[in-house]
Amino acid sequence: MPVDPMPEPTEAAATVPPDEGLAGIGRLLAGRDVAVLTGAGLSTESGIPDYRGPTGSLRRRTPMTYQEFTASAEARRRYWARSHAGWRSIALARPNAGHRAVQELRRDGLVSAVITQNVDGLHHAAGTLDAVELHGGLDRVVCLGCGRTSTREDLDRRLRELNGAFRDESSPRNADGDVELPDALVASFRVAACRACGGILKPDVVFFGESVPKPRVRHCFELVDGARALLVLGSSLAVMSGLRFVRHAARAGKPVAILNQGSTRGDAYAAVRVSLPLGPALTELAEGLAAAP
Ligand SMILES: [Zn+2]
């Protein structure tokens, strides 16, 4: 994703009282054809920390950039060691009430499209099979040499064979699915290469310093263009890769609503701005709309 500085602290747009705000989002959804953009805040209730959100506070360290990953074998060793240690907990995470509510809204046509900044696969696991993974998915691996993709499950088996009892799941993990590890442990880690060509394997996710593939961006703009409104769920919109859709919708005169715990970089564009825990709020919305005549 494009490297983009964290937002300057801004005056949060006048936040409507939560009850009225949630009703405002309900009215927006009742009009149908709402595109949804989701972020890490939607997955925190599945046990995946949001390192930018209110529960994650400050990031523990700067995420590895695409340039570091591709330029240095040591960086790749560090990345894969941490990722290997944290992968099982991401793989075991399950969709929460928020993902399920989004799927109900999608199924009923109130939501026309789901674009997610998350790489945890939880929208798909909740049944939203057409959710667009803007930043890719951790369940796939791509070879930088031959371009082949393979499953992370397969790589996980290979890494376990190469590294025996390496796994250490005691450390905190972040939304990218990796953990902090002692240097000595990282130094002993053995990385796997592409089976087909011996090339460098990379998770099929967009790193910092890397662009989202253009066709995927175009597709997302089309989804926003085809919608009547845009609803942001659980994203602080700190990176431009998500914020641009909010700006695009606002410029086109479409209402933007934001449901997120804490302020966001898109607040100035939002007609409705609600700060509530996502799972309960989305469940209330979906139930209220399902009961509506
Ligand atoms: Zn290859």
Side-chain angles (χ1 to χ4, degrees):
M1 63 194 80
V3 176
D4 203 42
M6 289 295 283
E8 293 296 315
T10 51
E11 298 272 324
T15 301
V16 257
D19 290 339
E20 188 191 325
L22 208 53
I25 294 179
R27 276 193 295 277
L28 199 70
L29 285 164
R32 306 177 73 85
D33 293 330
V34 176
V36 164
L37 173 67
T38 74
L42 188 62
S43 290
T44 52
E45 290 167 42
S46 294
I48 299 175
D50 172 8
Y51 49 80
R52 286 200 189 87
T55 55
S57 65
L58 291 174
R59 252 178 283 172
R60 292 168 63 87
R61 60 189 161 73
T62 312
M64 185 171 294
T65 65
Y66 180 77
Q67 289 72 18
E68 283 174 284
F69 184 87
T70 51
S72 156
E74 277 316 300
R76 290 192 293 278
R77 185 190 311 283
R78 195 165 71 245
Y79 177 88
W80 281 118
R82 288 169 165 170
S83 176
H84 183 57
W87 158 246
R88 189 53 46 189
S89 50
I90 294 282
L92 290 174
R94 290 292 166 257
N96 64 56
H99 298 102
R100 289 193 293 274
V102 168
Q103 168 51 19
E104 282 172 36
L105 296 167
R106 175 77 191 93
R107 184 197 59 207
D108 296 343
L110 305 184
V111 164
S112 59
V114 176
I115 301 166
T116 186
Q117 300 174 107
N118 298 340
V119 294
D120 53 34
L122 292 179
H123 280 297
H124 288 80
T128 313
L129 302 181
D130 62 357
V132 180
E133 294 178 307
L134 186 62
H135 296 157
L138 281 174
D139 59 339
R140 301 181 300 278
V141 174
V142 63
C143 171
L144 297 181
C146 68
R148 268 173 234 247
T149 56
S150 52
T151 68
R152 179 59 184 266
E153 280 293 345
D154 179 54
L155 177 65
D156 189 62
R157 270 193 298 276
R158 296 178 63 202
L159 291 177
R160 270 186 280 138
E161 282 164 20
L162 286 170
N163 293 285
F166 169 83
R167 202 187 297 277
D168 169 12
E169 299 189 42
S170 59
S171 312
R173 60 211 149 81
N174 63 29
D176 298 327
D178 60 8
V179 304
E180 296 294 325
L181 289 177
D183 289 347
L185 205 52
V186 171
S188 68
F189 191 77
R190 296 177 64 197
V191 175
C194 173
R195 275 191 213 270
C197 77
I200 294 171
L201 294 180
K202 173 183 165 294
D204 195 8
V205 299
V206 176
F207 276 43
F208 280 83
E210 187 181 7
S211 298
V212 178
K214 286 199 166 61
R216 198 185 296 163
V217 176
R218 246 190 330 267
H219 180 48
C220 291
F221 275 122
E222 285 165 8
L223 293 174
V224 174
D225 285 338
R228 213 177 34 78
L230 178 63
L231 171 61
V232 178
L233 300 175
S235 173
S236 61
L237 298 167
V239 290
M240 190 51 73
S241 68
L243 181 63
R244 59 185 157 188
F245 299 114
V246 169
R247 288 183 171 167
H248 184 75
R251 269 199 297 267
K254 299 183 184 198
V256 173
I258 299 177
L259 172 57
N260 183 61
Q261 284 201 276
S263 62
T264 84
R265 204 178 175 190
D267 287 353
Y269 303 97
V272 185
R273 173 75 188 84
V274 183
S275 184
L276 283 174
L278 272 79
L282 284 166
T283 301
E284 189 182 325
L285 279 170
E287 282 174 357
L289 289 159

